C-alpha cells in the first residue's frame, strides 16, 4: 500500500456560492468512514460524503454542475439539535449510518436506501451519553458503546430497528455496574465469536463480554 497525503479533486465548475467547499474545511475532522461507495467525514456537527467512487477516486467533494443537482453529487448535512453537537463516530448499518455525539445519537438515512443529496435525511434517534474518546464497535447486528462516570465505566448495546422506530438498548454491564474502571481507553470486538473486550494502558487487565444466543 501507499502512505501519502490525499490528492483531492479540485472545484471544476461554479464558485464558492454555487459550488461551496465541503463542510469539513476549517474544522477538525473527527472521524472517517465508508458507506454507499462514498468516503465520509465528520467535523463538528457536519456529515460530509463525497461523490460515489469512480475507479479508485473517492476524493471528489465538489458537484459536477453549478446549475443542476445530480444523485452523484456530494452530501453535506448538519445535525440539528437543541444540545451542542460534536460528532465523534459513525457506524454504517442496514438502515443508514448511526452518528454518535457525546450526548445524542442520530441516523443518516434515505427512504430509498440509497444516499443521495436530495434524499438524505438526518434524524435524532436517542439521547445516551457516549464517551467520545472510545469509538463504538459493531458486534454482529448490534453496536456497543461506553460511557464513563468518575469511578467506573458502563457498557451499552444498541440494536437499530426500522427507519421509523427508535433503537433498542441493553445495559450489558448492569450486573457488574462498578466492576469496569473508568480508566479503560479502548473497545474492540470479535463479531464471529460474539464477544467484546475493553482495556486501558494503565492496567494489566482486559475485560471481556461474550453474548450467547440459546436455541429454541
Amino acid at each position: 500500500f501507499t502512505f501519502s497525503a490525499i490528492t483531492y479533486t479540485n472545484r471544476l465548475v461554479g464558485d464558492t456560492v454555487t459550488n461551496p467547499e465541503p463542510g469539513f474545511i476549517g474544522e477538525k475532522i473527527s472521524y472517517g468512514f465508508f458507506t454507499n461507495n462514498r468516503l465520509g467525514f465528520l467535523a463538528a456537527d457536519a456529515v460530509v460524503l463525497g461523490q460515489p467512487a469512480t475507479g479508485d477516486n473517492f476524493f471528489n467533494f465538489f458537484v459536477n454542475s453549478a446549475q443542476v443537482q445530480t444523485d452523484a453529487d456530494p452530501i453535506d448535512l448538519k445535525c440539528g439539535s437543541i444540545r451542542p453537537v460534536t460528532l465523534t463516530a459513525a457506524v454504517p448499518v442496514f438502515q443508514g449510518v448511526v452518528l454518535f455525539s457525546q450526548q445524542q445519537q442520530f441516523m443518516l438515512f434515505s427512504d430509498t436506501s440509497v444516499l443521495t443529496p436530495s434524499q438524505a435525511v438526518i434524524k435524532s434517534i436517542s439521547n445516551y451519553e457516549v464517551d467520545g474518546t472510545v469509538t463504538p464497535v459493531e458486534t454482529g447486528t448490534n453496536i456497543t458503546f461506553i460511557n464513563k462516570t468518575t469511578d467506573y465505566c458502563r457498557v451499552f448495546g444498541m440494536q437499530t430497528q426500522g427507519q421509523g422506530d427508535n433503537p433498542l438498548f441493553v445495559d450489558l454491564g448492569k450486573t457488574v455496574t462498578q466492576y469496569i474502571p473508568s480508566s479503560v481507553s479502548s473497545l474492540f470486538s470479535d463479531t464471529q465469536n460474539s464477544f467484546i473486550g475493553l482495556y486501558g494502558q494503565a492496567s494489566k487487565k482486559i475485560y471481556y463480554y461474550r453474548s450467547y444466543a440459546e436455541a429454541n
Side-chain angles (χ1 to χ4, degrees), residues 52-117:
T54 54
D56 59 351
N57 181 20
F58 289 93
F59 312 120
N60 188 353
F61 288 88
F62 290 105
V63 300
N64 291 320
S65 171
Q67 297 179 325
V68 179
Q69 186 181 65
T70 69
D71 289 347
D73 285 341
I75 298 168
D76 196 331
L77 298 173
K78 290 191 175 183
C79 299
S81 175
I82 61 173
R83 297 179 173 88
V85 174
T86 300
L87 297 173
T88 58
V91 180
V93 294
F94 177 75
Q95 294 84 1
V97 181
V98 180
L99 307 171
F100 288 86
S101 71
Q102 291 186 350
Q103 295 182 319
Q104 197 168 3
Q105 294 76 53
F106 303 86
M107 178 74 78
L108 169 64
F109 71 99
S110 167
D111 288 335
T112 63
S113 298
V114 178
L115 293 174
T116 65

Side-chain angles (χ1 to χ4, degrees), residues 118-142:
S118 61
Q119 297 287 335
V121 177
I122 294 177
K123 70 174 183 179
S124 174
I125 57 173
S126 58
N127 297 296
Y128 277 73
E129 292 188 6
V130 179
D131 188 277
T133 63
V134 180
T135 304
V137 296
E138 293 180 85
T139 51
T141 58
N142 296 331

